[in-house]
């Protein structure tokens, strides 16, 4: 049987080996954008309108690791609402250890903040994003968003950032993160935000889990954009789990 190039059995890796496999480049001075998605064998990005239904133990392991490696988790407002997002919760000792290896330490090992892109600041200040979190979320919005909404989100504990005038461009939101030294960016969706970043050619790599399910129906795909385009990606690695889960990592040359 022909082997897949660069394929690794997940059981062959310990925690440090897995972290090394997904490490961000060293010495970053600008945002490096990694996207992480899961899909079914037939390309569905959700089941029952949520991604969690496609999660397998292997996917959840890598999902947690990618959060531990990131400076910030970037999400669109629609995904926050659909998935009922709360803040990231991490093993502080593990995160501190990862930062020590990657760039010289993180004093507290605090989880990365969730950065939400919403041009209209249309979020519920009583939602889990604000009530179930260890660190303040970042709300990337516009100067024309209603002032009462922005005030309510700030009073709920968020850092509200005006990252655009009438609209937020992909370059503008990444510039706002870079101003805060948040270079290791993990984009968790949704498909419109991912599509906009792809269309602007600002995705450096994609981590894609193929879950061993067929879903059918009319479930969305992982990216949606206003126009069709093609960006050539190159396979970095393939991880295989015993239950059939395939975890791939794709990067620009």
């Amino acid at each position: 049987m022909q082997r897949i190039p660069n394929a690794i059995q997940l059981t062959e890796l310990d925690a440090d080996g897995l972290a090394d496999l997904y490490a961000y480049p060293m010495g970053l001075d600008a945002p490096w954008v990694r996207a992480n998605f899961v899909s079914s064998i037939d390309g569905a990005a959700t089941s029952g309108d949520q991604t969690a239904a496609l999660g397998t133990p292997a996917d959840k392991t890598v999902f947690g690791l990618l959060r531990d490696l990131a400076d910030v988790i970037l999400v669109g407002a629609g995904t926050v609402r659909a998935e009922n997002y709360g803040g990231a919760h991490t093993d502080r000792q593990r995160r501190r250890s990862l930062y020590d290896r990657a760039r010289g330490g993180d004093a507290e090992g605090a989880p990365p903040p969730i950065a939400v892109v919403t041009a209209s600041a249309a979020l519920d200040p009583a939602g889990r994003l604000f009530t179930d979190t260890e660190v303040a979320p970042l709300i990337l919005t516009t100067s024309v968003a209603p002032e009462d909404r922005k005030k309510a989100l700030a009073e709920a504990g968020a850092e509200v950032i005006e990252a655009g005038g009438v609209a937020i461009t992909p370059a503008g939101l990444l510039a706002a993160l870079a101003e805060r030294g948040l270079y290791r960016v993990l984009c968790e969706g949704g498909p419109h935000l991912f599509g906009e970043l792809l269309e602007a050619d600002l995705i450096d790599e994609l981590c894609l889990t193929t879950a061993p399910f067929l879903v059918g129906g009319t479930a969305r795909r992982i990216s949606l954009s206003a126009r069709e385009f093609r960006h050539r990606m190159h396979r970095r690695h393939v991880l295989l789990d015993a239950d059939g889960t395939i975890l791939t990592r794709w990067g620009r040359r």
Side-chain angles (χ1 to χ4, degrees), residues 8-54:
I8 304 168
Q9 294 293 329
L10 194 58
T11 54
E12 296 176 4
L13 296 169
D14 60 13
D16 287 345
L18 191 63
D20 289 341
L21 202 60
Y22 283 99
Y24 281 85
M26 299 288 285
L28 292 175
D29 57 6
W32 178 278
V33 185
R34 164 184 286 165
N36 183 42
F37 285 90
V38 61
S39 76
S40 67
I41 300 168
D42 55 337
T46 59
S47 179
D49 292 328
Q50 292 193 330
T51 60
L54 296 174

Side-chain angles (χ1 to χ4, degrees), residues 146-170:
E147 291 299 328
D148 59 336
R149 291 183 184 175
K150 290 187 282 191
K151 180 180 179 182
L153 298 180
E155 290 176 347
E159 179 182 352
V160 178
I161 302 163
E162 292 183 352
V166 176
I168 306 171
T169 66

Side-chain angles (χ1 to χ4, degrees), residues 122-154:
L123 292 168
D124 180 3
R128 287 188 61 237
L129 183 69
F130 306 94
T131 61
D132 182 15
T133 185
E134 297 178 41
V135 295
L138 309 178
I139 307 302
L140 302 171
T141 189
T142 59
S143 59
V144 299
E147 291 299 328
D148 59 336
R149 291 183 184 175
K150 290 187 282 191
K151 180 180 179 182
L153 298 180

